Amino acid sequence: MAARSLLAAAFLALAVPAVLCQAPGPAAPKGPPNVTAILEKGGQYTTFIRLMKATQQDTQLNSQLNNSFGSGYTVFAPTDNAFNSLKPGTLNKLSQQEQVSLVQYHILPQFYSLDSFETASNPVRTQASGSDGPYTLNITADSNSQVNVSTGVDATSVGTALRASMPLAVYSVDKVLLPNDLFGVKPPMPAPSASTKKPSKGSSVAQSPAGSADTAPTGAAAGGARVAGWSLAALILTAAGSLFQAHTPTGTTTTGAMAASPRLAILLVLLAASSALAAEQKAKAKPAPGPAGEADAAPTTDVNKALKDDQFSEFKQLLHDTRVDTQINAQLTDSYNGLTIFAPTNAAFDKLKAGVLNGLSPQEQIQMVLYCVLPRFYSLSMLGTLDGKVNTQGSGHDGPYKYDIKRAGNNVNVSTGVNSMLLGSPVSKEFPLAIYPVDKFPLPYELFGPKPPTPAPAPAPAPSKSKTKKHKKSTGIAEPPVADDSTPSDNQKAAAAPGAGVAATRWVAALSVLGAAVLGGLF
């Protein structure tokens, strides 16, 4: 009897953990948030959504959220009533670039919870500020923990949090944040400055180039240091000789005194020689002025400075016109992933068919520029390890606008599906920014690929045989689909969870019956 009881207990001890292992675990964490889905779920931000899509900032922000491990982002989302309270024509009077700046002005390149606003350091940079530009906000919190935002033109309070978990916080605001740089009072034009008096021709004071007074050729500097060092050695030896002569007793020669103090003499000689050599080495190690002295400069976070070569002038102008340069600089300052740019040269622009860029809408031009930017830093060797589709800044979370990148010998081939190109020697290769010249403008397949044929119209339905039959009209109103910021994989996992729960329940029931039968037989 005791043996049977022990056997039953062992059986149940083994069965219960097996059943528990079948129970579904906690739901998998959701993928990167989708700002458009969050705003659509809020239900009163249609104008802001439309403005974000028109300026491609929804795609840009989703791409950053998907590829950045930095400090997150915060969005102030104006309601539809906030836009309705603007003066008529306010938005239509803005250029495309100014609309981009307006949207970026509502995005902070850092995640802020409501509590962390209290420690925000004013002025607070926005996505429109770049690394150190205008378009800043003043954010304060009062004694009641109410957060207020001021632009210099208007002010409002931070309302409901549509989302407040890392890496994205979205807060509702009841006013459109109007940047002082666009809507503030313009300062009066300064009066023309008085002309500077030119030096007379007879002046004997010559104006030397800046920095020339303190600059000498490297060879001359080293030679001067060498002369100074050995001169110092001679002075020390002379002083030592005088010292010995002063302390030599009458009738004793200096040679005898030197013999009496050989250690001191050797020490002085070594000291003089080391001083001369140290001065010479210091002169050799001193960096020469100009580019050679800039080798250890901090890596650039300004894309315009990195593209200083004249061969990129047209691409720089396109970056500026679309305001993507400001966006890139903000990312370089706040991202731990860095960026990679395939920069078309002026020759690449010349190869485009006439009117290609002018035939694109402003939104498509922004998309073309974002297509030239990869949301990570890639050295040439890292690019060589890629094989397949690679996201760009235009891809968003997991959308189109991708490259097919493969190694080609010692280089890398980049294909868009419309054209392909090899990368030139990098003009910037230090983290966080890599820039590779390309001699063709990357043309995204989604804009320049062949359009699918228009489907043939469906055949007309056959006429109904019964003409007297009446159909009852539906009185219900179809509800719009509810937006969700979860990814398809999350939905599949959620759908699979009930099945796992049913299976676990069946196991529990079966084992309970089996255990009851065993125990009944034992007792």
Side-chain angles (χ1 to χ4, degrees):
M1 192 70 175
R4 289 185 179 181
S5 300
L6 183 61
L7 179 62
F11 176 80
L12 291 177
L14 293 174
V16 171
V19 172
L20 294 177
C21 290
Q22 295 292 331
K30 292 186 177 181
N34 184 303
V35 65
T36 308
I38 294 170
L39 292 173
E40 287 175 348
K41 189 181 294 185
Q44 54 176 339
Y45 306 95
T46 54
T47 306
F48 189 54
I49 293 172
R50 187 166 63 249
L51 190 59
M52 289 193 76
K53 290 183 175 180
T55 56
Q56 297 291 326
Q57 294 306 301
D58 59 333
T59 301
Q60 181 77 0
L61 182 56
N62 288 335
S63 176
Q64 291 175 252
L65 290 169
N66 185 46
N67 294 285
S68 176
F69 296 99
S71 49
Y73 296 90
T74 301
V75 177
F76 295 129
T79 62
D80 291 335
N81 288 334
F83 281 96
N84 292 336
S85 63
L86 293 175
K87 293 181 179 179
T90 297
L91 295 181
N92 294 333
K93 291 178 181 178
L94 299 176
S95 66
Q96 180 67 29
Q97 292 73 30
E98 290 172 337
Q99 289 184 13
V100 171
S101 296
L102 180 63
V103 176
Q104 292 178 343
Y105 191 60
H106 289 75
I107 305 173
L108 309 182
Q110 182 175 340
F111 173 84
Y112 285 97
S113 65
L114 281 174
D115 293 336
S116 62
F117 278 124
E118 297 180 1
T119 60
S121 178
N122 289 312
V124 177
R125 289 190 305 109
T126 66
Q127 287 283 73
S129 304
S131 57
D132 191 21
Y135 291 95
T136 56
L137 293 169
N138 282 327
I139 300 178
T140 57
D142 58 25
S143 57
N144 298 323
S145 298
Q146 178 62 57
V147 178
N148 302 306
V149 182
S150 174
T151 71
V153 176
D154 58 359
T156 186
S157 299
V158 174
T160 306
L162 305 182
R163 177 191 167 97
S165 58
M166 188 70 179
L168 177 66
V170 182
Y171 300 102
S172 178
V173 290
D174 58 6
K175 287 185 180 180
V176 179
L177 303 179
L178 302 178
N180 187 63
D181 307 89
L182 288 179
F183 297 93
V185 178
K186 301 295 186 293
M189 293 295 293
S193 58
S195 60
T196 306
K197 184 179 180 181
K198 296 182 179 180
S200 60
K201 294 183 179 179
S203 175
S204 60
V205 180
Q207 299 292 328
S208 60
S212 61
D214 298 327
T215 304
T218 306
R226 189 180 300 111
V227 171
W230 287 112
S231 299
L232 176 62
L235 288 174
I236 293 176
L237 288 175
T238 303
S242 301
L243 180 65
F244 289 140
Q245 290 179 358
H247 289 81
T248 300
T250 306
T252 305
T253 61
T254 305
T255 304
M258 290 290 287
S261 305
R263 293 181 181 179
L264 182 59
I266 294 172
L267 180 61
L268 290 173
V269 171
L270 291 176
L271 179 61
S274 63
S275 299
L277 291 175
E280 183 174 352
Q281 291 298 323
K282 184 176 180 181
K284 289 181 179 180
K286 184 178 180 180
E294 298 172 0
D296 298 329
T300 180
T301 55
D302 189 330
V303 66
N304 293 303
K305 291 182 179 179
L307 294 170
K308 59 185 177 181
D309 291 352
D310 292 338
Q311 62 174 332
F312 302 113
S313 59
E314 294 190 44
F315 185 55
K316 285 175 63 177
Q317 185 62 46
L318 188 59
L319 282 170
H320 176 74
D321 291 343
T322 56
R323 297 285 296 176
V324 175
D325 58 343
T326 302
Q327 184 72 25
I328 289 174
N329 291 340
Q331 286 182 258
L332 292 173
T333 304
D334 295 288
S335 174
Y336 294 106
N337 289 330
L339 296 173
T340 300
I341 299 178
F342 298 147
T345 62
N346 294 345
F349 279 85
D350 294 338
K351 293 178 183 178
L352 292 174
K353 293 182 179 179
V356 167
L357 292 180
N358 293 334
L360 298 175
S361 67
Q363 293 79 13
E364 291 171 336
Q365 290 185 10
I366 293 174
Q367 198 67 39
M368 276 195 68
V369 178
L370 294 177
Y371 190 60
C372 295
V373 185
L374 305 185
R376 291 182 183 276
F377 173 87
Y378 289 101
S379 65
L380 191 60
S381 59
M382 293 168 64
L383 286 171
T385 63
L386 302 177
D387 188 11
K389 299 297 183 182
V390 179
N391 279 353
T392 68
Q393 288 283 76
S395 304
H397 171 38
D398 192 22
Y401 292 94
K402 298 183 178 181
Y403 285 119
D404 193 356
I405 298 180
K406 295 182 178 180
R407 175 178 289 278
N410 294 328
N411 205 326
V412 173
N413 183 72
V414 179
S415 175
T416 71
V418 177
N419 59 356
S420 60
M421 63 223 71
L422 295 174
L423 303 182
S425 299
V427 296
S428 176
K429 56 183 179 180
E430 299 296 332
F431 187 85
L433 180 61
I435 299 179
Y436 300 93
V438 289
D439 60 358
K440 296 179 184 177
F441 201 114
L443 301 177
Y445 186 88
E446 289 74 14
L447 290 179
F448 296 93
K451 301 296 185 290
T454 305
S464 177
K465 293 182 180 180
S466 175
K467 297 183 179 180
T468 58
K469 187 177 180 180
K470 295 183 179 180
H471 298 279
K472 185 178 179 181
K473 293 184 178 179
S474 175
T475 58
I477 300 176
E479 295 185 359
V482 179
D484 191 7
D485 61 340
S486 62
T487 60
S489 60
D490 297 327
N491 297 331
Q492 293 172 2
K493 293 175 184 176
V502 171
T505 304
R506 290 175 179 173
W507 269 99
V508 171
L511 290 174
S512 298
V513 172
L514 183 59
V518 172
L519 293 175
L522 293 176
F523 300 103

